C-alpha cells in the first residue's frame, strides 16, 4: 500500500491490463425460471438473476455450482413477488418490471440494466463478468464520462472516488490515515454512481477481500473479490435519496438511538481511576458544559479482562455510575473481543468449556496477542456464541450501564498480518468456512451479539453501541467512529468527506475523534473541530495516552467559552437533530449529508468536500485550516440566511465570508424552519420548551416532519411518540404554517411550539389564524 517507490514510474515500465488473465463466464447455453429466479447455464458457470422489487435486482455468478442465495450477513429481506415480463429472441432475453428493463445478451452472457425510458443504468464493459482459477471473481462495467462515485463506507480521501482504487479489508490502522490508505476499519462494498443528475447503486455483497478500481480507465470500472461468488445488487434510484432508501431496505436501518447518545461524549485513553472520572464529571457540571457520556477505555478492566473492573482503580463502579447518572451523565465502557487466556478467569473458562472460541480445523483454539496478552476470540459467526456473549453483558447492565464501545473488532491482533490467521475456522451456524471469508464480518457479528444482548438485558431501554469495525448493515447495531485519527488539520478536513460517504453508505450515526486521537492537539484546532463536531452525527472528544489532554477547558477560558457555546448549541439543536435521526431510522437517509444529495443536478456540489448539510435545509461551512478567518462558500439554488448574523445570501453563487474563531458559518434555506429548545443544565436535560425558527422568504414552500418521544425506551413502537408534519408557505407579506398531520400519544413536557420569525417582519398564520404559537 505504501511501498510505491520511484520504480513504479520507471521509464518503459509497461502497464499490463490484468483483465486478460480472467476467464469470461461465456455464452448462455440454456436458461430457466425457478420460482422467482432466472438461472442461466453458461459455458463456464451459472448466473442467477433475482428480482427483489421492481427497482432492485440481484445478480449472482457461481462457476462451480448453482448460485447460493441464502447466505448474506447483510441483506435482511426476502425477494418480493415481482411481475416480470419476458421477451426472447435468438440473441437476447428482455426482462421487464414496472421500473427496469434488463437486456441479456446470450453470446456471451452480457447484462444491461435500463430504466423504462430506455436510459442505461448499468451496462457491462466488453469483458462482462469473469473469474480466475485462483478463485477471484470480477465484474467490468462501463464508465460514463460524467460518472461520479460515492459511498464505499469509511475511506480516506475526497468525496468523489472516481480515479481511485479502493480495498475492503477491515484493518486496524493506527497510522497513517492518508489519501492512499485503501482499507480502514469498516468494509462496506457498496457505492452510488451519480450521472447527469441521476443516481443508482451497486452493492457487492461479498465478504472476502474486495477491490474497486475506478482508476485504470475512463471507459470502464471493475469490482472484484478474492473468493466467493460474484454477487451484486443493482439499485435503480434514480434520486440519490431513493438509492439510499433502496440500499437500506436491503441491509436495514439504524434503530432509533437513545437521545443521550446524541449528546456530547468525553473520552480519553484512558481516564484511569474512579477519582479521575469523578473529577472530570465535576468539571463539566461546574462549568455547565453539556455532557451525556464518559467513556471508559481499557484501563478500567482488571488486566484487560473483558467483563471485569479493576478493583483498585475502580473500587465501586455501581456507585460511580449511579452518582454520575444523578448528574445526567452515563458511562460507556470499552469491550474488545479478545478474551485473556487465563485458566482462573470465568469468561475464558466458559469460552473453552462451552466451545465458544475460534479454532483451527484440527481443533486447537486460535490464540493471538492483544491487550490482555495471549487471548482467544469468540466465534461470532455462531448463533450460540453470540447469545453467550450478549448475555454476559448483564455484568454491565446490572450496574446501570446502557452503552458499550466495541474496539479492536476487525479483529485486530498484534502480529505481522494485524489479524487472525486466514485459515482459522468459523463454524458459521453449520456452513463452515475460514477467516478469509469471515474477516470482514467479524465486527458486524460482534456488534449484533452486543446490541441484541444489551437490548435483552436492558428490558425496554434502548442500548447504545459504538463500534470500530463493521460491514454493510452495521447501521442496524451501532454508531461508528472513524478510528485512530490524529490531531492534524488534514484529519479534520478529511473527516467531512469520510463521514458524508459513510452516510451515503447507509451508516448515519458516525463521527471522528474530535480534537484528534493521536498527536498533540492545540487550542485552535480543538476549537474548530468542536464547532464541526457539534454537527457531526456522533460527537465525541477522544485522545490517546501520552498526548495532551483535550477536554474543552484545557486551553484556557477564551477557547473554553467558544467550545462551550458550540456544545450547548448541539443541545439547542437536539429537537431538529432528533427528528433527523428519526428520519434516518425509517428511511435510511443520513443526518449529515453532502450537498449533492439535495442538489444532484448541480455539478458544483459533486466534489464539495469542505461543506456539508444537516438535513435538507442547512449548510455548514466550517473553517478547516489554521489561522484562517476567511473562506469561500458555495450556496446552491435558493435564497439563504446565515444563522447567526441573519444576513441574506443568494444561491448558485460563490461567496467570500469572514469567519472569526468564535464563528461557524451556518446557512439556512429561506422559507424553511428549524426546531430548537433551550439548554438548561446537565442534571436537567428534558426538553421543556420548543421553538420553531422560521427563516422568512418571499416565495418558498417547505414541508418537514417533527418527531419526539421519551428518548430512551421502545415505547414509541406502541404509539408513545409525537409526530407532526408541517407545511410552510412563504409569500411577500405573510408566512402560513399548517399542521398537515399529527400522530402519537406521547405527552412531552412542552405544551406548545413558539414560532420565531427570522428575517424581515411578516404576519404569521397558523392553520389559517394569525398566531405565533402552535398548541399541542
Ligand atoms: O490501539 O483502547 O481506536 O479509540 O482508545 C489501541 C485503546 C486500542 C484503539 C481505539 C482507540 C482506543 C485504543 N484502542
Amino acid at each position: 500500500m505504501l511501498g510505491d517507490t520511484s520504480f513504479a514510474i520507471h521509464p518503459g515500465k509497461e502497464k499490463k491490463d490484468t483483465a486478460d488473465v480472467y476467464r469470461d463466464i461465456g455464452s448462455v447455453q440454456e436458461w430457466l425460471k425457478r420460482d422467482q429466479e432466472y438461472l442461466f447455464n453458461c459455458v463456464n458457470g451459472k448466473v442467477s438473476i433475482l428480482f427483489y422489487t421492481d427497482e432492485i435486482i440481484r445478480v449472482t455468478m457461481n462457476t462451480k455450482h448453482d448460485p447460493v442465495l441464502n447466505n448474506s450477513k447483510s441483506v435482511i429481506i426476502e425477494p418480493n413477488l415481482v411481475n416480470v415480463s419476458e421477451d426472447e429472441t435468438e440473441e437476447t432475453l428482455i426482462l421487464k418490471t414496472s421500473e427496469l428493463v434488463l437486456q441479456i445478451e446470450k453470446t456471451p452472457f452480457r447484462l444491461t440494466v435500463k430504466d423504462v425510458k430506455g436510459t442505461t443504468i448499468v451496462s457491462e464493459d466488453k469483458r462482462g463478468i469473469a473469474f480466475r482459477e485462483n478463485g477471484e471473481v470480477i465484474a467490468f462495467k462501463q464508465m460514463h464520462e460524467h460518472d461520479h462515485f460515492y459511498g464505499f463506507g469509511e475511506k480516506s480521501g475526497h468525496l468523489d472516488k472516481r480515479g481511485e482504487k479502493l480495498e475492503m479489508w477491515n484493518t486496524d490502522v493506527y497510522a497513517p490515515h492518508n489519501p492512499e490508505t485503501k482499507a480502514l476499519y469498516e468494509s462496506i462494498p457498496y457505492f452510488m454512481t451519480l450521472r447527469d443528475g441521476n443516481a443508482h447503486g451497486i452493492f457487492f455483497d461479498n465478504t472476502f477481500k474486495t477491490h474497486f478500481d475506478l482508476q485504470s480507465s475512463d471507459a470502464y470500472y471493475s469490482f472484484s473479490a478474492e473468493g466467493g461468488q460474484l454477487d451484486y445488487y443493482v439499485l435503480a434510484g434514480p434520486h440519490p435519496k431513493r438509492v439510499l432508501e433502496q440500499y437500506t431496505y436491503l441491509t436495514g436501518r439504524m434503530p432509533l438511538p437513545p437521545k443521550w447518545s446524541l449528546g456530547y461524549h468525553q473520552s480519553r485513553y484512558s481516564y484511569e481511576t474512579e477519582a479521575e472520572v469523578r473529577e472530570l464529571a465535576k468539571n463539566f457540571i461546574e462549568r455547565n458544559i453539556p455532557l451525556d457520556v464518559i467513556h471508559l477505555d481499557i484501563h478500567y478492566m482488571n488486566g484487560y479482562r473483558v467483563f471485569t473492573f479493576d478493583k483498585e482503580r475502580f473500587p465501586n463502579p455501581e456507585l460511580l455510575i449511579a452518582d454520575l447518572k444523578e448528574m445526567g451523565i452515563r458511562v460507556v465502557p470499552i469491550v474488545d473481543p479478545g478474551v485473556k487466556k487465563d485458566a482462573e478467569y470465568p469468561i475464558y473458562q466458559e469460552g473453552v468449556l462451552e466451545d465458544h472460541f475460534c479454532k483451527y480445523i484440527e481443533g486447537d483454539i486460535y490464540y493471538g496477542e492483544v491487550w490482555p496478552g495471549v487471548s482467544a476470540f469468540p466465534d461470532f459467526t455462531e448463533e450460540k456464541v453470540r447469545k453467550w456473549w450478549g448475555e454476559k453483558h448483564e455484568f454491565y447492565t446490572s450496574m446501570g450501564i446502557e452503552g458499550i464501545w466495541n474496539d479492536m473488532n476487525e479483529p485486530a491482533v498484534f502480529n505481522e498480518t494485524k489479524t487472525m490467521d486466514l485459515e482459522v475456522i468459523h463454524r458459521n451456524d453449520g456452513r463452515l468456512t475460514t477467516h478469509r471469508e469471515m474477516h470482514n464480518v467479524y465486527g458486524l457479528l460482534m456488534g449484533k451479539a452486543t446490541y441484541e444482548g444489551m437490548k435483552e438485558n436492558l428490558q425496554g431501554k434502548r442500548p447504545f453501541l459504538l463500534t470500530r469495525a463493521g460491514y454493510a448493515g452495521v447501521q442496524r447495531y451501532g454508531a461508528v467512529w472513524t478510528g485512530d485519527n490524529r490531531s492534524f488539520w488534514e484529519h479534520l478536513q478529511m473527516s467531512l468527506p469520510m463521514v458524508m460517504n459513510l452516510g451515503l453508505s447507509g451508516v448515519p450515526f458516525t463521527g471522528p475523534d474530535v480534537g484528534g486521537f493521536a498527536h498533540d492537539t492545540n487550542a485552535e484546532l480543538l476549537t474548530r473541530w468542536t464547532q464541526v463536531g457539534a454537527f457531526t452525527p456522533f460527537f465525541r472528544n477522544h485522545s490517546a495516552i501520552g498526548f495532551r489532554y483535550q477536554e474543552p477547558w484545557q486551553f484556557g477560558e477564551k477557547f473554553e467559552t467558544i467550545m462551550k457555546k458550540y456544545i450547548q448549541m448541539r443541545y439547542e439543536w437536539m429537537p431538529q437533530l432528533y427528528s433527523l435521526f428519526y428520519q434516518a431510522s425509517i428511511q435510511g437517509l443520513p443526518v449529515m449529508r453532502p450537498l449533492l444529495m439535495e442538489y444532484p443536478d448541480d455539478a458544483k456540489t459533486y466534489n464539495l468536500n469542505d461543506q456539508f448539510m444537516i438535513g435538507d435545509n442547512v449548510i455548514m461551512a466550517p473553517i478547516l485550516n489554521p489561522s484562517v478567518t476567511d473562506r469561500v462558500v458555495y450556496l446552491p439554488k435558493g435564497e439563504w440566511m446565515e444563522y447567526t448574523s441573519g444576513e441574506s445570501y443568494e444561491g448558485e453563487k460563490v461567496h467570500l465570508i469572514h469567519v472569526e474563531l468564535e464563528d461557524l458559518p451556518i446557512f439556512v434555506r429561506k422559507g424553511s424552519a428549524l426546531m430548537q429548545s433551550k439548554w438548561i443544565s446537565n442534571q436537567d436535560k428534558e426538553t421543556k420548551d420548543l421553538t420553531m425558527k422560521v427563516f422568512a422568504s418571499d416565495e418558498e414552500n417547505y414541508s418537514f416532519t417533527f418527531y419526539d418521544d421519551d428518548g430512551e425506551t421502545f415505547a414509541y413502537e406502541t404509539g408513545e411518540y409525537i409526530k407532526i408534519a408541517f407545511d410552510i408557505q412563504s409569500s411577500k407579506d405573510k408566512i402560513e404554517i399548517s399542521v398537515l398531520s399529527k400522530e402519537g400519544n406521547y405527552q412531552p413536557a412542552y405544551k406548545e411550539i413558539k414560532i420565531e420569525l427570522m428575517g424581515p417582519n411578516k404576519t404569521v398564520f397558523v392553520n389559517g389564524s394569525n398566531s405565533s404559537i402552535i398548541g399541542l
Side-chain angles (χ1 to χ4, degrees), residues 252-452:
R253 292 169 186 144
M254 169 195 68
L256 199 55
K259 228 186 229 180
W260 57 265
S261 69
L262 309 183
Y264 178 70
H265 300 234
Q266 184 64 51
S267 183
R268 179 163 173 94
Y269 167 29
S270 304
Y271 296 120
E272 295 188 11
T273 63
E274 188 174 317
E276 199 184 354
V277 172
R278 285 182 183 275
E279 183 60 30
L280 181 76
K282 201 170 128 227
N283 254 303
F284 277 95
I285 299 292
E286 286 177 1
R287 294 164 192 272
N288 196 24
I289 300 175
L291 177 69
D292 259 299
V293 187
I294 293 174
H295 288 245
L296 296 184
D297 209 321
I298 53 176
H299 286 86
Y300 81 84
M301 293 178 271
N302 168 20
Y304 310 118
R305 288 169 184 83
V306 288
F307 309 104
T308 68
F309 266 90
D310 181 314
K311 282 282 166 272
E312 261 162 47
R313 293 171 188 269
F314 289 87
N316 195 342
E318 285 91 343
L319 189 62
L320 173 71
I321 288 156
D323 289 349
L324 258 53
K325 196 128 178 217
E326 286 283 300
M327 305 179 190
I329 301 165
R330 284 172 167 85
V331 169
V332 168
I334 198 167
V335 177
D336 292 352
V339 174
K340 187 178 179 65
K341 179 174 189 294
D342 168 0
E344 292 172 345
Y345 167 36
I347 303 287
Y348 181 72
Q349 292 170 344
E350 275 177 39
V352 173
L353 297 176
E354 295 170 15
D355 201 13
H356 295 310
F357 294 128
C358 296
K359 292 176 170 176
Y360 289 101
I361 187 107
E362 294 80 8
D364 310 325
I365 293 176
Y366 167 80
Y367 292 104
E369 281 279 330
V370 269
W371 297 121
V374 176
S375 303
F377 296 81
D379 187 359
F380 294 115
T381 65
E382 286 270 279
E383 172 75 36
K384 87 162 203 210
V385 179
R386 288 198 296 271
K387 219 167 159 263
W388 169 68
W389 190 259
E391 281 165 5
K392 286 292 139 200
H393 285 76
E394 218 235 295
F395 172 78
Y396 297 110
T397 52
S398 67
M399 292 181 186
I401 287 173
E402 297 165 46
I404 297 289
W405 168 19
N406 281 170
D407 186 24
M408 304 289 278
N409 51 349
E410 292 72 28
V413 182
F414 301 150
N415 63 26
E416 284 273 292
T417 68
K418 294 179 152 201
T419 194
M420 244 181 228
D421 286 353
L422 296 186
E423 69 266 26
V424 168
I425 294 296
H426 291 285
R427 280 160 285 172
N428 197 19
D429 289 331
R431 209 182 61 81
L432 186 137
T433 184
T434 61
H435 193 64
R436 189 190 305 283
E437 182 175 357
M438 290 295 113
H439 175 78
N440 281 342
V441 291
Y442 191 84
L444 174 84
L445 297 174
M446 181 182 185
K448 180 175 164 72
T450 305
Y451 180 82
E452 287 171 359

Side-chain angles (χ1 to χ4, degrees), residues 405-632:
W405 168 19
N406 281 170
D407 186 24
M408 304 289 278
N409 51 349
E410 292 72 28
V413 182
F414 301 150
N415 63 26
E416 284 273 292
T417 68
K418 294 179 152 201
T419 194
M420 244 181 228
D421 286 353
L422 296 186
E423 69 266 26
V424 168
I425 294 296
H426 291 285
R427 280 160 285 172
N428 197 19
D429 289 331
R431 209 182 61 81
L432 186 137
T433 184
T434 61
H435 193 64
R436 189 190 305 283
E437 182 175 357
M438 290 295 113
H439 175 78
N440 281 342
V441 291
Y442 191 84
L444 174 84
L445 297 174
M446 181 182 185
K448 180 175 164 72
T450 305
Y451 180 82
E452 287 171 359
M454 286 293 286
K455 186 169 174 180
E456 185 74 32
N457 287 324
L458 283 173
Q459 299 175 1
K461 278 198 179 161
R462 294 178 218 170
F464 166 69
L465 171 68
L466 178 65
T467 178
R468 191 170 73 172
Y471 180 75
V474 65
Q475 67 271 10
R476 301 198 296 265
Y477 312 118
V480 170
W481 95 103
T482 59
D484 297 344
N485 63 359
R486 313 207 133 217
S487 302
F488 298 162
W489 288 92
E490 290 84 347
H491 279 189
L492 167 58
Q493 292 157 15
M494 186 173 66
S495 70
L496 267 53
M498 194 182 272
V499 170
M500 289 192 275
N501 271 326
L502 272 161
L504 289 181
S505 308
V507 194
F509 195 6
T510 70
D513 284 345
V514 169
F517 176 64
H519 198 62
D520 295 306
T521 200
N522 61 65
E524 192 189 355
L525 177 59
L526 182 63
T527 304
R528 290 301 194 192
W529 211 323
T530 304
Q531 293 171 339
V532 173
F535 294 98
T536 48
F538 179 59
F539 185 19
R540 182 181 75 155
N541 173 318
H542 181 48
S543 60
I545 196 163
F547 297 101
R548 216 161 168 176
Y549 277 76
Q550 59 185 39
E551 295 74 21
W553 53 85
Q554 294 291 356
F555 296 90
E557 209 186 312
K558 173 181 159 201
F559 298 96
E560 178 184 339
T561 306
I562 302 174
M563 288 188 253
K564 177 172 161 176
K565 171 180 153 192
Y566 284 91
I567 301 172
Q568 288 188 350
M569 216 158 140
R570 168 77 168 204
Y571 287 79
E572 289 158 11
W573 283 59
M574 199 57 89
Q576 180 75 9
L577 292 171
Y578 196 57
S579 297
L580 290 169
F581 270 87
Y582 166 74
Q583 188 188 40
S585 75
I586 55 160
Q587 250 182 307
L589 302 183
V591 175
M592 170 172 168
R593 46 185 88 154
L595 275 73
L596 66 98
M597 186 155 195
E598 298 296 333
Y599 301 91
D601 292 312
D602 183 347
K604 280 231 164 78
T605 66
Y606 293 172
N607 207 7
L608 197 50
N609 288 278
D610 61 355
Q611 297 177 205
F612 62 89
M613 295 190 79
I614 291 297
D616 64 6
N617 60 335
V618 179
I619 292 177
M620 304 284 169
I623 294 290
L624 307 169
N625 286 288
S627 311
V628 167
T629 47
D630 296 281
R631 69 157 288 173
V632 158

Side-chain angles (χ1 to χ4, degrees), residues 42-259:
C42 302
V43 176
N44 290 318
K46 295 182 184 184
V47 184
S48 115
I49 294 180
L50 195 53
F51 291 82
Y52 274 65
T53 68
D54 286 312
E55 307 168 338
I56 303 177
I57 62 148
R58 176 181 182 185
V59 181
T60 313
M61 173 183 88
N62 194 309
T63 56
K64 301 197 175 68
H65 44 75
D66 277 10
V68 180
L69 301 176
N70 61 355
N71 65 351
S72 178
K73 303 282 187 223
S74 290
V75 175
I76 51 165
I77 54 131
E78 295 293 324
N80 289 285
L81 262 184
V82 180
N83 256 327
V84 183
S85 72
E86 300 159 10
D87 187 359
E88 190 174 15
T89 67
E90 199 144 318
E91 271 86 48
T92 58
L93 172 66
I94 309 266
L95 302 176
K96 242 190 222 170
T97 74
S98 65
E99 299 294 329
L100 291 174
V101 179
L102 274 60
Q103 184 182 316
I104 297 132
E105 316 249 332
K106 298 185 200 162
T107 336
F109 176 90
R110 291 292 180 265
L111 167 68
T112 304
V113 182
K114 300 180 182 182
D115 66 19
V116 279
K117 283 181 257 148
T119 311
T120 297
I121 298 174
V122 174
S123 54
E124 280 171 333
D125 180 58
K126 53 185 189 295
R127 281 160 307 178
I129 53 177
F131 62 100
R132 293 211 292 187
E133 287 311 321
N134 66 4
E136 214 179 309
V137 291
I138 192 162
F140 295 96
K141 302 285 178 203
Q142 272 179 7
M143 195 191 280
H144 292 237
E145 196 186 339
H146 296 147
D147 281 357
H148 301 272
F149 299 93
Y150 308 97
F152 301 101
E154 182 186 56
K155 292 289 175 232
S156 55
H158 288 121
L159 198 54
D160 181 359
K161 299 301 185 204
R162 185 172 178 141
E164 302 289 335
K165 280 183 175 171
L166 308 159
E167 181 183 295
M168 301 294 167
W169 185 252
N170 289 0
T171 311
D172 170 14
V173 187
Y174 174 64
H177 293 193
N178 277 344
E180 63 187 329
T181 309
K182 291 191 170 58
L184 285 167
Y185 316 86
E186 295 268 328
S187 291
I188 307 184
Y190 160 78
F191 63 95
M192 181 185 92
T193 307
L194 184 60
R195 179 186 305 155
D196 301 321
N198 284 333
H200 64 264
I202 290 190
F203 172 38
F204 182 26
D205 192 9
N206 182 307
T207 66
F208 286 81
K209 185 184 280 182
T210 54
H211 296 274
F212 295 80
D213 180 356
L214 313 162
Q215 186 182 77
S216 296
S217 165
D218 269 336
Y220 68 85
Y221 66 87
S222 68
F223 49 91
S224 62
E226 296 191 353
Q229 305 182 120
L230 185 78
D231 193 356
Y232 70 94
Y233 297 77
V234 176
L235 319 170
H239 194 280
K241 290 186 185 174
R242 189 79 198 119
V243 179
L244 216 45
E245 279 179 290
Q246 289 156 349
Y247 173 70
T248 55
Y249 171 70
L250 280 179
T251 60
R253 292 169 186 144
M254 169 195 68
L256 199 55
K259 228 186 229 180

